[in-house]
Amino acid sequence: MKKVTVSIITIGDELLIGQTIDTNSAWMAQELNALGIWVHRRVAIGDVKEDILETMAEEAAVSDIVLITGGLGPTADDITKPTLCEYFGGGLVQNPDALKNVMHIFESRGLPVLQRNVDQAMVPEACTPILNDRGTAPGMWFEKDGKIYVSMPGVPHEMKGMMESYVLPRLQEYFETPAVVHQTLLTSGMGESFIAERLMDFEKQLPAHIKLAYLPSYALLKLRLTALGKDKISLAAELSGHFQLLKSILPDITVADQDIVMGEVLGRILQKQGKTVGTAESCTGGYIASSITAVPGSSAYFKGSVVTYANEMKMKLLGVKAATLDTYGAVSEQTVREMATGALQLLETDYVMAVSGIMGPDGGTPDKPTGTVWIAVGSREEIRTTRHHFRYDRDRNIQMTAIYAMNELRKLMNT
Amino acid sequence: MKKVTVSIITIGDELLIGQTIDTNSAWMAQELNALGIWVHRRVAIGDVKEDILETMAEEAAVSDIVLITGGLGPTADDITKPTLCEYFGGGLVQNPDALKNVMHIFESRGLPVLQRNVDQAMVPEACTPILNDRGTAPGMWFEKDGKIYVSMPGVPHEMKGMMESYVLPRLQEYFETPAVVHQTLLTSGMGESFIAERLMDFEKQLPAHIKLAYLPSYALLKLRLTALGKDKISLAAELSGHFQLLKSILPDITVADQDIVMGEVLGRILQKQGKTVGTAESCTGGYIASSITAVPGSSAYFKGSVVTYANEMKMKLLGVKAATLDTYGAVSEQTVREMATGALQLLETDYVMAVSGIMGPDGGTPDKPTGTVWIAVGSREEIRTTRHHFRYDRDRNIQMTAIYAMNELRKLMNT
C-alpha cells in the first residue's frame, strides 16, 4: 500500500514575526495520523503571492495532499484568493451558500453587513466550497493533476470544524491508507540516556514496522511505540504485546500507560479511590488548580483551592502562624507544611498540595535563589515535603512546580 | 540595503505527528526581527536523512541564514549529526569543551556518564561548536558558499541560551541589517471588518515602508504597525506619529498601546492606582488568578484567590447563601454577585472578579447551555455583572471567560 502524505502550509506574516504560535498544525497532524495519513512537511510562509505559488507547487511535488490554513478573512482575502485563482485557473465567483452564511451570522448578531463581508462569499470557480459553520470565511477544496489541495481559515476552531465535518471524511473516502496504532508510556524520574540504556535489548527485538520514540515533555518523558500495517485490529494486538514488555522493564518510573497530562493522571487515581483534592498555592498562583480543573469531569474530585500570595492571606485563610513566617520565611518547609494542614481543614478534602517558592525573575536571595520551591503533599495521615530548585524562566518555573507537586501527590497516593 | 533573511528548519517526528507544539519558532522570529532579520520560511521535517539534506539545500537557496533546531540529544543524534557531516563534508571529532560540559553536568548531578553521553561531545569537524550551558548537546555553527547554518537542540531553554549568548550577537556582527520598528495597539469590542472600515483612510495615507497588520487573539484584536528603514531613531519617531493617529481614530476600543497580555494590562492599571485585586473562581478553576500572577511583580497588587468549585465551598468560603444556590443555581447573576461580595470581604482587596459557568463538554441544560458564564467584577462601591455564552471547547471557554472577566474589570477601573 502506498503511503499517503500531506504537506501543511500555513500562510500569514504573524507566524513569521513570532506574534502567533502555530497550534493548528499539531492538531491537524494528530487527526490525520489517526487516519493513517502522514505529515511529510510543514511550511509557514508570509502573505506574499510568489511565496504562496512556489510553496504550493513544491509541496504538491512531494505530497499527495496540500492543506493550507490562514490568509483568509475580511482583511486578508486580497492576496490568498486571487493567488489561488492564478494557481488553479479561473476567476472568483459568488457562492450562494457562503453568502447566506455570512448574512446569517451578521444578522443574528444585529450587525450591518459590509461590502468586505459580502466579498468573503466570493470563491475561486475552480474550487468546491466548504461551509464554515463557525465563521464567515468559506473553505475551498481543489483537485489538480491528481493532488488534493484544501484552503481553510487560520482561526483554530473554524479550521477544526471544517476538518471534522468535511475534510477528514472526504480524505478518508479518497485514499486507501495504512493502519496506524500508537501507544505511549508516560515516565518520570529518569533521564533519556539512562532509559535508552535499559531499553537497548528491547529496541533491538522490535520488528521494523514498530518504532520507539523518546519525547521529553517538561519533567516527564514519553515513550511512544508506533506500529504501521494493514489491519488495525491485529496491529493493535501485536503492539500491545510489545507495550506490555516495555512497561514491565520500567515499572519504577511509569506514571501512566496512556498519553495524558498530569492533571488527568491524578484525576483517574482520585476517581478510582473515591477521594477528593484541593490546593493551597502561593508561587503557582492558581496554576495547579487550573491544571486539575482543565480536565472534564474534575468536579467529581476537586472541591476548591486557595491562592495565598500575600502572607496575611496565608495566616488568615490557612492558619499559618506568624511566628513560622517570621522565623523560617514564606518559602520554607515549615510554611508549606502549615499551608497543607490548613488547606485540608479549610477545603475538607482527602488530599492536598501546597507550594511556596520564588519564581523569578526577581526575589531570589543567596540562601533561597530564584527557582527555589517547597512542595508539601499529603492527607490527614501523612504530609511529605520536598525542596526543589528550578532554573528556568518564570513561566516554566511555575509549570515545573505544578508538574512536580502533582507527581509527588501521585507517588503518595500510589503507596 | 539588502534584506537579510532566515529560514527556520525544525527537525523531529514529534512535530509531524502533532505530539509537540512548536513554540521555538515564534520566539526565534521575535528575536531575529528585533535585529532586522526576516524569517522567510519555517519548515518542519521528520528525522529522515534525505529530507534534512534536501530541505537544507532548498532553504539555503532562498535565505541567507538557515537555523536548525531539534534532532540532537542522546537518543536522537544518530541521524542529524552524520547528515550534517555529509552536507558540509568531513567526519565527527570530539570537542574537548563539549566533553568537559557533559562530564560536569553528570558529575554535578551524581550520575554515571554513559557512552551515549560522551558521544554528545562529538561534532562535525566542519563546524564551530557552540557551548550549551543548559544541557549536554552542543550547538554547531557552519558557513558554506556564503550562507550561515546553525544547528541547535530543540529543548526550548537550551536553544534560547545559545541564541542569546552566541548566535544573535554573532549574526549581528556578520550582517548589515535594516532598522525595524513595531508598535501594537490592543483593541477589544469590535470586529475586524468594522475596524477595517474605520481605518480605510488611515491605511491609504500610510507610506509604503509602514505596514498595518490585523492580528486576532482571542477576544482581542491587535493592530500592528511595522516600519522598515535605515535609521532606527528617526524611524521610531515617524512610526510614533502614525501610531498616535491610529489611536486617535479608535479611542473607544483601545485596551492598551503596547503588545501585552490582559494580565499585564490589569497589572499596570492596578499599580498606577495603588489598588489590589483578588478572584473568586468557579468554572475557570484558578485560571484567572494564574493569568494575573504570570506577570512578574504581581505580588504588588495581587493578594489571593479562592477557587470554589463545589457549592459547599461557595457557601463556606464566600458566604454564598444556600437559598441563592437553590433558587437560581450556581451559574446565575445572584450567585456571582454574592461570590464577588464575599471575596471582597475575605481577601480584603479593592477590586474583585467572580465567575461561574459551564465549560463543557457536559453539564449544559436547555436554559443554561454549555458555554454559559456569569461574570461579576467590582469594588465595595459597585459590582457589575454580565452574562456570556461561549461556543468553543472546554480549554478555550476557560480562556475566553478569563479574558472577558479581566476586560470587564479593566473597563470598570477606567471609568
Side-chain angles (χ1 to χ4, degrees):
Chain A
M1 195 183 303
K2 197 187 152 290
K3 197 166 159 181
V4 179
T5 58
V6 59
S7 287
I8 298 175
I9 303 176
T10 47
I11 300 177
D13 289 338
E14 66 275 18
L15 290 160
L16 299 184
I17 65 157
Q19 191 110 19
T20 305
I21 288 172
D22 172 24
T23 56
N24 283 349
S25 300
W27 184 87
M28 291 166 86
Q30 286 177 4
E31 298 297 312
L32 291 160
N33 283 179
L35 303 186
I37 296 174
W38 293 95
V39 180
H40 179 59
R41 282 160 50 105
R42 284 169 32 191
V43 187
I45 52 174
D47 299 304
V48 178
K49 187 182 132 181
E50 292 70 31
D51 290 351
I52 298 173
L53 291 173
E54 192 186 311
T55 305
M56 283 173 69
E58 273 174 23
E59 297 309 317
V62 294
S63 294
D64 304 301
I65 306 159
V66 179
L67 297 183
I68 304 162
T69 63
L72 306 176
T75 58
D77 270 358
D78 306 346
I79 290 170
T80 306
K81 281 193 201 166
T83 305
L84 291 171
C85 286
E86 186 170 330
Y87 189 88
F88 293 104
L92 287 168
V93 292
Q94 194 171 67
N95 178 256
D97 291 337
L99 183 62
K100 222 164 75 183
N101 188 43
V102 169
M103 303 300 276
H104 170 73
I105 286 174
F106 278 79
E107 277 162 16
S108 70
R109 293 179 191 169
L111 294 171
V113 183
L114 307 173
Q115 184 56 43
R116 67 170 83 226
N117 303 123
V118 172
D119 290 346
Q120 291 209 268
M122 301 292 287
V123 297
E125 52 186 326
C127 84
T128 306
I130 304 171
L131 182 72
N132 183 351
D133 56 15
R134 302 178 180 183
T136 49
M140 297 161 250
W141 175 288
F142 300 91
E143 299 181 20
K144 188 186 175 192
D145 303 332
K147 307 282 176 162
I148 304 289
Y149 301 74
V150 186
S151 164
M152 290 171 282
V155 181
H157 75 114
E158 296 183 19
M159 177 280 292
K160 287 178 189 177
M162 283 186 199
M163 285 285 284
E164 283 169 349
S165 65
Y166 187 94
V167 180
L168 292 169
R170 199 159 161 194
L171 288 176
Q172 207 169 6
E173 280 166 29
Y174 205 96
F175 293 100
E176 196 195 352
T177 55
V180 190
V181 186
H182 294 295
Q183 230 176 328
T184 301
L185 190 73
L186 212 58
T187 72
S188 141
M190 185 175 284
E192 195 177 337
S193 47
F194 294 93
I195 295 179
E197 289 294 309
R198 279 172 69 179
L199 293 180
M200 250 161 51
D201 291 339
F202 173 78
E203 287 203 61
K204 268 185 206 139
Q205 60 79 45
L206 279 180
H209 66 286
I210 299 186
K211 294 219 172 339
L212 174 68
Y214 292 77
L215 306 168
S217 167
Y218 290 96
L220 305 173
L221 185 76
K222 298 177 183 178
L223 302 175
R224 194 193 56 237
L225 285 176
T226 303
L228 264 176
K230 279 191 182 146
D231 173 56
K232 198 151 189 162
I233 292 168
S234 65
L235 203 59
E238 188 191 4
L239 188 71
S240 171
H242 292 285
F243 190 75
Q244 292 309 322
L245 178 57
L246 176 66
K247 262 177 79 170
S248 72
I249 303 171
L250 306 169
D252 48 327
I253 57 167
T254 292
V255 171
D257 55 7
Q258 273 179 294
D259 187 9
I260 53 180
V261 293
M262 195 57 104
E264 269 177 290
V265 174
L266 276 198
R268 287 179 193 203
I269 302 173
L270 288 162
Q271 213 143 16
K272 205 168 142 194
Q273 297 188 354
K275 305 278 184 168
T276 57
V277 72
T279 73
E281 307 183 40
S282 185
C283 61
T284 44
Y287 188 87
I288 304 176
S290 79
S291 304
I292 293 174
T293 55
V295 181
S298 46
S299 57
Y301 48 82
F302 177 79
K303 292 174 77 178
S305 283
V306 283
V307 182
T308 52
Y309 230 52
N311 278 351
E312 51 184 293
M313 288 297 133
K314 292 183 182 75
M315 295 188 280
K316 179 176 176 180
L317 300 183
L318 298 170
V320 174
K321 293 190 210 84
T324 306
L325 292 165
D326 283 347
T327 312
Y328 304 103
V331 180
S332 66
E333 178 171 16
Q334 290 78 4
T335 296
V336 287
R337 194 174 275 278
E338 289 184 19
M339 285 171 69
T341 310
L344 281 168
Q345 203 172 333
L346 183 73
L347 304 171
E348 301 169 23
T349 57
D350 300 306
Y351 293 112
V352 75
M353 290 171 266
V355 297
S356 185
I358 302 147
M359 300 286 90
D362 304 319
T365 63
D367 272 8
K368 294 175 183 171
T370 297
T372 302
V373 176
W374 275 99
I375 294 175
V377 302
S379 63
R380 267 165 199 76
E381 286 72 45
E382 181 190 5
I383 287 178
R384 291 184 198 166
T385 57
T386 44
R387 184 191 164 122
H388 304 265
H389 183 201
F390 302 115
R391 294 152 202 269
Y392 311 107
D393 61 13
R394 183 181 182 86
D395 281 353
R396 185 121 194 245
N397 284 339
I398 291 172
Q399 292 163 344
M400 292 296 271
T401 302
I403 297 274
Y404 270 83
M406 290 191 278
N407 198 34
E408 290 298 324
L409 180 60
R410 177 190 68 81
K411 289 191 267 180
L412 180 127
M413 289 194 297
N414 276 343
T415 51
Chain B
M1 195 182 304
K2 196 186 152 290
K3 197 166 160 182
V4 179
T5 59
V6 58
S7 287
I8 299 175
I9 303 176
T10 47
I11 300 177
D13 289 339
E14 66 276 17
L15 290 159
L16 298 184
I17 64 156
Q19 191 111 16
T20 305
I21 288 172
D22 172 23
T23 56
N24 282 349
S25 299
W27 183 88
M28 291 166 86
Q30 286 176 4
E31 298 297 312
L32 291 160
N33 283 178
L35 303 185
I37 296 173
W38 293 93
V39 180
H40 179 60
R41 281 160 50 105
R42 284 170 32 191
V43 187
I45 52 174
D47 298 304
V48 178
K49 188 181 130 179
E50 293 69 31
D51 290 351
I52 299 173
L53 290 173
E54 192 186 311
T55 305
M56 283 173 69
E58 273 175 21
E59 298 309 316
V62 294
S63 293
D64 304 301
I65 306 159
V66 179
L67 296 182
I68 305 161
T69 63
L72 305 177
T75 57
D77 270 358
D78 306 346
I79 289 169
T80 307
K81 281 193 202 166
T83 305
L84 291 171
C85 286
E86 185 171 332
Y87 189 88
F88 293 105
L92 286 169
V93 292
Q94 193 171 70
N95 178 256
D97 290 337
L99 183 62
K100 223 165 74 185
N101 187 43
V102 169
M103 304 300 276
H104 171 72
I105 286 174
F106 278 81
E107 277 162 16
S108 70
R109 293 179 191 170
L111 294 171
V113 183
L114 308 173
Q115 185 57 43
R116 68 170 84 226
N117 303 123
V118 172
D119 288 346
Q120 291 208 267
M122 300 294 286
V123 297
E125 54 186 324
C127 84
T128 307
I130 304 171
L131 183 71
N132 182 350
D133 57 13
R134 301 177 181 184
T136 50
M140 297 161 251
W141 174 287
F142 300 90
E143 299 181 19
K144 187 186 175 191
D145 302 332
K147 306 282 176 162
I148 304 290
Y149 300 74
V150 186
S151 163
M152 290 172 284
V155 181
H157 75 115
E158 296 183 19
M159 177 279 293
K160 288 178 189 177
M162 284 186 198
M163 285 285 284
E164 283 168 349
S165 65
Y166 188 93
V167 180
L168 292 169
R170 199 158 161 194
L171 288 176
Q172 206 168 6
E173 280 167 29
Y174 206 95
F175 293 100
E176 197 195 351
T177 54
V180 189
V181 185
H182 294 295
Q183 231 176 327
T184 301
L185 191 72
L186 212 59
T187 71
S188 141
M190 184 174 285
E192 194 177 336
S193 48
F194 294 93
I195 296 179
E197 289 295 308
R198 279 172 68 177
L199 293 180
M200 250 161 50
D201 291 340
F202 172 79
E203 287 203 62
K204 269 185 204 138
Q205 60 80 42
L206 280 180
H209 66 286
I210 299 186
K211 294 218 170 343
L212 174 67
Y214 291 76
L215 306 167
S217 166
Y218 291 96
L220 305 173
L221 186 76
K222 298 177 184 180
L223 302 174
R224 195 194 55 236
L225 285 176
T226 302
L228 265 176
K230 279 190 182 147
D231 174 56
K232 196 151 190 161
I233 292 169
S234 64
L235 202 60
E238 187 190 3
L239 187 71
S240 171
H242 292 285
F243 189 76
Q244 293 309 321
L245 179 57
L246 176 67
K247 262 178 77 171
S248 72
I249 303 171
L250 307 169
D252 48 327
I253 58 167
T254 291
V255 170
D257 54 7
Q258 273 179 294
D259 187 9
I260 53 180
V261 293
M262 195 57 105
E264 271 178 289
V265 173
L266 276 197
R268 287 179 193 203
I269 301 172
L270 287 162
Q271 214 143 17
K272 207 168 141 193
Q273 296 188 357
K275 304 278 184 171
T276 58
V277 72
T279 73
E281 306 183 40
S282 185
C283 61
T284 44
Y287 188 86
I288 304 176
S290 79
S291 304
I292 292 173
T293 55
V295 180
S298 45
S299 57
Y301 48 81
F302 178 79
K303 292 173 78 177
S305 283
V306 283
V307 181
T308 53
Y309 230 52
N311 278 352
E312 51 185 291
M313 288 297 133
K314 291 184 182 75
M315 295 188 280
K316 178 176 177 180
L317 300 183
L318 298 170
V320 175
K321 293 188 211 87
T324 306
L325 292 166
D326 283 346
T327 313
Y328 304 103
V331 180
S332 66
E333 178 171 15
Q334 290 79 1
T335 296
V336 287
R337 193 175 276 279
E338 290 184 20
M339 286 171 70
T341 310
L344 281 168
Q345 200 171 334
L346 183 73
L347 303 171
E348 301 168 22
T349 57
D350 300 306
Y351 293 112
V352 75
M353 290 171 266
V355 298
S356 185
I358 303 147
M359 300 286 90
D362 304 319
T365 63
D367 272 7
K368 294 174 184 174
T370 297
T372 302
V373 177
W374 274 98
I375 294 175
V377 301
S379 63
R380 267 166 199 76
E381 285 72 45
E382 182 191 4
I383 287 177
R384 292 184 199 166
T385 57
T386 45
R387 184 191 164 121
H388 304 265
H389 183 202
F390 302 114
R391 293 153 204 270
Y392 312 106
D393 60 14
R394 182 181 182 87
D395 281 354
R396 185 123 194 244
N397 283 339
I398 291 172
Q399 292 163 344
M400 292 296 271
T401 302
I403 297 273
Y404 270 84
M406 290 191 276
N407 196 34
E408 290 298 324
L409 180 59
R410 178 191 67 82
K411 288 192 266 180
L412 180 127
M413 289 194 298
N414 276 342
T415 50

